[in-house]
Amino acid sequence: LIPAFHQDTWYRWLNDCRDWCISRQLWWGHRIPAFYVIFDGESEEIEGSQEDYSRWVVGETEEDAYEVAAKKFDRAPGTFKLKQDPDVLDTWYSSGLFPFSTLGWPDLDAPDFKKFYPNQLLETGHDILFFWVARMVMMGMKLCGKVPFSQVYLHAMVRDAHGRKMSKSLGNVIDPLDVMSGITLPDLQAKLVNTNLSEKEIEKAKKGQKADYPEGIPECGTDALRFALCSYTAQGRDINLDVLRVHGYRQFCNKLWNAIRFSMINLGEDFQPTATAEELTGEESTADLWILSRLNHAVTVAAEAWPKYDFHS
């Protein structure tokens, strides 16, 4: 786990596992493959005390479950019916199948499965370390015999500049597209319309947006947003995202672009860099050598930081 301090949370969850209710009453999801056996002459409506838990059977298909029931109760075909549980599997249960269910599983010899399972890296938020990550590991080990990934990089939770969790009712949800392209305050507030917020919540959200973005959100660009998120990784568990800081990085990126453009103009169209840094002319000034030393230092820091996912450095 990266960062390593999340390991304590990981083991605390796994060492104190509780029974997991996998049944949910939702409109969508994987329907639970459990069937209740109803013998001829019995009502199909089972309620409360009428339910006999020994009547439940499971199978990959209804036909499989029918065979299990016939053998379990020693009943001839046609002397009973099956009624499938209307509930669906918990969202995290279904999500836990993701690493291999998309690769041809249960065929462990499927080309995609053999090529991509197990994978190397999973990147996700630390808030679902147990809800999702642990369940994927459980499912992978049980159904495939291997953990689905060797490394897990857990990013921080992105909050607003005041450290509050982003919420539609507070009006502090930041759309990355708005940060990249910019948006006026009226257009930002127009996004609150036709949502599931009440009129009272919409007014509260508008006040929050006006307080945080009185002039709207300035155009920051994609590179500046990426730069900001990488620099924020040093905060650890939470990122208090300040749009003005992102805008500051846009100005930095712009200066960097102008500096490179200025250099390329002065070097000329026919300029060809030397193949290696060792091929110096001997005529380099102190400033030239200093720049080369800083370049070498930057390369060293980057080379050491990438394998550790140390984006801030």
Side-chain angles (χ1 to χ4, degrees):
L1 296 179
I2 305 168
F5 62 76
H6 289 295
Q7 291 183 13
D8 290 340
T9 304
W10 173 263
Y11 288 114
R12 185 167 63 251
W13 274 106
L14 293 181
N15 290 331
D16 191 28
C17 278
R18 308 292 178 87
D19 289 343
W20 173 19
C21 178
I22 61 174
S23 176
R24 294 292 184 272
Q25 295 75 46
L26 300 173
W27 284 105
W28 54 86
H30 291 114
R31 193 171 178 184
I32 294 177
F35 302 81
Y36 192 83
V37 179
I38 302 173
F39 297 127
D40 285 352
E42 294 181 337
S43 172
E44 295 188 13
E45 300 300 323
I46 300 100
E47 297 180 1
S49 60
Q50 296 179 342
E51 182 178 356
D52 180 355
Y53 293 114
S54 67
R55 296 278 193 93
W56 286 101
V57 295
V58 296
E60 290 188 15
T61 65
E62 186 171 356
E63 290 74 19
D64 292 339
Y66 199 89
E67 292 181 9
V68 172
K71 184 176 180 180
K72 179 178 181 179
F73 297 103
D74 194 22
R75 291 274 182 154
T79 61
F80 62 89
K81 299 178 182 178
L82 296 181
K83 184 176 182 179
Q84 188 173 359
D85 189 333
D87 290 357
V88 298
L89 292 168
D90 168 39
T91 299
W92 297 114
Y93 188 105
S94 298
S95 300
L97 304 173
F98 170 74
F100 47 87
S101 63
T102 58
L103 302 176
W105 178 82
D107 180 6
L108 303 187
D109 291 321
D112 284 347
F113 183 88
K114 294 176 71 174
K115 182 175 182 180
F116 297 110
Y117 190 93
N119 213 319
Q120 181 181 2
L121 174 70
L122 169 74
E123 186 275 335
T124 187
H126 69 79
D127 56 317
I128 53 175
L129 176 60
F130 184 73
F131 295 109
W132 190 35
V133 181
R135 284 164 166 78
M136 283 191 284
V137 171
M138 294 176 190
M139 296 290 192
M141 294 180 68
K142 178 65 176 179
L143 301 176
C144 302
K146 299 177 182 178
V147 293
F149 27 74
S150 56
Q151 293 180 308
V152 180
Y153 178 77
L154 300 166
H155 66 245
M157 288 287 293
V158 181
R159 300 177 179 272
D160 70 7
H162 310 292
R164 300 175 302 178
K165 187 174 181 180
M166 291 192 183
S167 167
K168 289 181 180 179
S169 60
L170 291 176
N172 64 344
V173 175
I174 301 174
D175 186 337
L177 295 177
D178 292 338
V179 178
M180 290 186 284
S181 303
I183 188 171
T184 64
L185 180 60
D187 288 341
L188 189 63
Q189 293 183 333
K191 289 190 171 187
L192 298 171
V193 182
N194 298 325
T195 63
N196 58 353
L197 298 178
S198 65
E199 288 296 327
K200 184 177 180 180
E201 288 175 322
I202 289 177
E203 290 305 313
K204 179 181 178 181
K206 285 183 177 180
K207 289 181 180 179
Q209 289 178 334
K210 187 174 182 180
D212 286 341
Y213 316 113
E215 304 299 328
I217 297 177
E219 180 182 352
C220 298
T222 306
D223 290 336
L225 180 58
R226 289 171 176 161
F227 195 112
L229 292 175
C230 286
S231 68
Y232 268 122
T233 56
Q235 290 192 5
R237 292 181 179 274
D238 295 300
I239 290 175
N240 296 342
L241 184 60
D242 186 348
V243 173
L244 293 180
R245 180 172 172 179
V246 181
H247 190 250
Y249 285 128
R250 181 208 176 187
Q251 295 172 329
F252 171 78
C253 291
N254 188 54
K255 288 182 178 180
L256 189 62
W257 185 85
N258 283 330
I260 294 173
R261 181 169 173 267
F262 176 78
S263 298
M264 297 305 295
I265 290 174
N266 284 274
L267 289 171
E269 295 181 0
D270 299 330
F271 172 74
Q272 292 293 330
T274 56
T276 64
E278 285 79 14
E279 298 180 20
L280 301 179
T281 64
E283 300 179 358
E284 288 77 18
S285 66
T286 301
D288 292 331
L289 295 174
W290 178 81
I291 290 174
L292 289 173
S293 73
R294 300 313 299 167
L295 173 61
N296 184 65
H297 175 72
V299 171
T300 301
V301 171
E304 293 176 350
W306 277 118
K308 304 174 184 177
Y309 304 104
D310 181 6
F311 303 116
H312 178 261
S313 296

